[in-house]
Amino acid sequence: MASTPTDRPDFQSSNAQSSTSYQRHGRTTATNDHSELQVLRRIKRYLLPKDFAISPALLDEIVAGYDIGDPLADALAAEHIRFSKPLQHTILSDSPNSDLATNPSFSALTEQFRSHPGWFDPKLAQIGAVAYRRYPLMLIWLLRNVALMAGYSIPALSLPLIQTGALMHDALPRLMRTYAYILAVSEHPSSDMSTRNHNKPIDQVLAIGSEGWRQSIKVRQIHTLVRQNLLKGKGNAATSVIPHVDQHRNPDGSWNTDYWGVPINQTDMIATHLQFSLLIMRGLRLLGARISTEEAEGILHLWNLASYWMGVDLDRLPKDEAASWEWLYTYLSIQQLGFKMGQPLAKALHDLPRQLMGEDNRRGRFVELVNASVTRTLVGDDIGDGLDLPKSKIRFGVLSSVPILFALDTARQHNTTVAHKLEAFRAKRQDNMNWWLKKNDDYYK
């Protein structure tokens, strides 16, 4: 696993490394370029040790990850092999694929997905999954307005989405598919999804053959195909949206790895891992949810397995919450920010309520203001301004949830009747929020 803050040398006291030696890609800035960014100031003030200093070892680790994709899946893609369906069939039917049986990359993937790794603790993961799924409204709020919106301020994360058209031309399906994935990852034995669609109930979180397991394989293949297409210069959806000079393409139109690193690389996948785990967990706490230390550990553990299945090198993942905040602070400190790149994505996501309810619908405009207020309150006004999100006079009204949710969570912990009623409400609310998936996705129908 990644090392902890205590066994990395102090950045400020190290003379072995030039202050700019980690700036090997155009996307990488100096570590102090964004020190006034609100989200960085908050992380440093409230979530890092007072004597924290950026570590050169971690900087090198992060920058080295820009140039590494998913070696196993990339090797299969180089042979024009689509592995998702044959891999699932091979494992679930326990019958070797005659065409791929001797392929070393396919065999390695089969071993990775055939059983859980020895470090995985299903009981801890279930504790995390139950806590993660406890707040359905907050979960979708934080996914769209914190996890996704915060990422749109970083061009290196936005450009692959823009070049493929993801979350821009089909914002609702893309959002709901992402939502479906985090639901699948956090599905647990006491949830009712698998019994409702007549599947055999899962016996543990991220069970072999579960929807989370299946979707991890599918998304890993999608990421691999997107990576290969972008490297070949086949992603052209950004042509009419972002000038070529801002995309930093090579002269032949292909992806510029010297500037961006490999698309969907190890480092950016870890950043996505922390968007879905650490940032959502932090947002839940800020909105009043009582998430215990063990539940927080369980949420990170749950996403460690999901990220490992998605092709992230386990040794690169920060091993606990403290190390995760160190990693995220360091990553954000050196990212080239460019709001022009993220604005089309932010607008597509922001405009969804009125697209669904009608341009003149007051409720739609109100929902948009609430969503923008969540981003501004939890991420920062500087990013909200950069993404051109509206300001609302009642923006801090979102914090009214804090005493309400805190009180309900406190009652849930001490009164079983209240706990049962809240669980029934949660299940009904979750079902209502799955309306698009129930209409368009066989698993959720």
Side-chain angles (χ1 to χ4, degrees), residues 131-273:
Y132 195 80
R133 290 282 288 269
R134 190 181 294 141
Y135 318 95
L137 177 59
M138 304 299 179
L139 190 58
I140 191 70
W141 260 14
L142 296 169
L143 170 65
R144 65 178 293 163
N145 303 316
V146 175
L148 295 179
M149 282 294 190
Y152 293 163
S153 63
I154 301 173
L157 298 181
S158 298
L159 186 58
L161 297 171
I162 294 175
Q163 288 195 350
T164 60
L167 285 172
M168 187 168 63
H169 302 307
D170 299 303
L172 179 61
R174 299 287 185 173
L175 172 64
M176 294 308 293
R177 294 296 183 196
T178 305
Y179 180 54
Y181 181 63
I182 69 174
L183 291 182
V185 167
S186 57
E187 186 178 346
H188 52 83
S190 59
S191 61
D192 65 347
M193 183 57 65
S194 54
T195 55
R196 185 190 313 150
N197 64 12
H198 307 297
N199 287 341
K200 180 182 177 181
I202 60 174
D203 56 1
Q204 67 179 51
V205 174
L206 286 176
I208 305 302
S210 67
E211 185 67 7
W213 178 87
R214 292 177 183 274
Q215 286 199 33
S216 295
I217 295 173
K218 292 177 183 178
V219 175
R220 186 168 180 176
Q221 177 172 274
I222 291 171
H223 283 178
T224 304
L225 296 174
V226 168
R227 185 183 304 111
Q228 300 304 314
N229 285 334
L230 291 179
L231 286 170
K232 296 173 184 175
K234 293 184 178 180
N236 297 311
T239 302
S240 60
V241 182
I242 304 297
H244 271 265
V245 65
D246 293 327
Q247 297 181 51
H248 298 278
R249 287 178 180 262
N250 288 322
D252 63 357
S254 61
W255 182 272
N256 187 340
T257 55
D258 288 338
Y259 191 91
W260 299 111
V262 173
I264 316 180
N265 57 64
Q266 286 288 313
T267 293
D268 290 339
M269 283 194 285
I270 294 174
T272 302
H273 156 81

Side-chain angles (χ1 to χ4, degrees), residues 2-43:
S3 52
T4 59
T6 54
D7 51 34
R8 289 188 174 119
D10 187 295
F11 178 72
Q12 296 174 343
S13 63
S14 174
N15 296 318
Q17 173 175 343
S18 164
S19 62
T20 58
S21 65
Y22 58 87
Q23 293 180 257
R24 302 193 291 275
H25 301 79
R27 64 179 282 179
T28 308
T29 70
T31 55
N32 59 356
D33 279 1
H34 313 308
S35 57
E36 293 304 307
L37 196 67
Q38 282 178 293
V39 66
L40 286 177
R41 289 164 57 193
R42 291 171 182 173
I43 292 174

Side-chain angles (χ1 to χ4, degrees), residues 57-66 265 267 316 326-327 330-331 334-335:
L58 180 55
L59 276 174
D60 279 342
E61 183 182 297
I62 286 175
V63 172
Y66 293 156
N265 57 64
T267 293
R316 292 181 175 274
E326 178 200 5
W327 193 101
T330 304
Y331 174 84
I334 60 171
Q335 297 308 305

Side-chain angles (χ1 to χ4, degrees), residues 293-416:
T293 301
E294 185 179 34
E295 287 173 335
E297 185 182 353
I299 290 172
L300 291 174
H301 191 70
L302 172 76
W303 280 99
N304 279 350
L305 179 58
S307 298
Y308 169 70
W309 277 346
M310 294 276 278
V312 176
D313 181 354
L314 186 64
D315 289 335
R316 292 181 175 274
L317 287 173
K319 70 174 185 178
D320 55 32
E321 187 173 353
S324 295
W325 285 117
E326 178 200 5
W327 193 101
L328 187 63
Y329 183 91
T330 304
Y331 174 84
L332 293 176
S333 294
I334 60 171
Q335 297 308 305
Q336 190 73 254
L337 299 182
F339 297 111
K340 184 189 299 184
M341 192 85 75
Q343 283 175 356
L345 298 169
K347 177 173 172 53
L349 200 55
H350 171 75
D351 291 349
L352 269 182
R354 273 191 291 174
Q355 288 180 7
L356 294 172
M357 302 177 193
E359 286 296 324
D360 298 323
N361 188 285
R362 290 184 179 180
R363 184 183 174 195
R365 289 198 298 271
F366 176 74
V367 171
E368 288 178 357
L369 288 175
V370 170
N371 288 334
S373 296
V374 173
T375 302
R376 287 182 172 276
T377 302
L378 300 187
V379 180
D381 274 320
D382 43 14
I383 288 179
D385 290 341
L387 295 176
D388 202 23
L389 298 176
K391 288 184 177 179
S392 171
K393 294 179 180 178
I394 58 170
R395 53 166 288 186
F396 291 109
V398 298
L399 297 179
S400 64
S401 71
V402 175
I404 297 172
L405 191 55
F406 185 84
L408 289 173
D409 253 4
T410 302
R412 171 187 58 80
Q413 291 180 338
H414 295 93
N415 188 304
T416 55

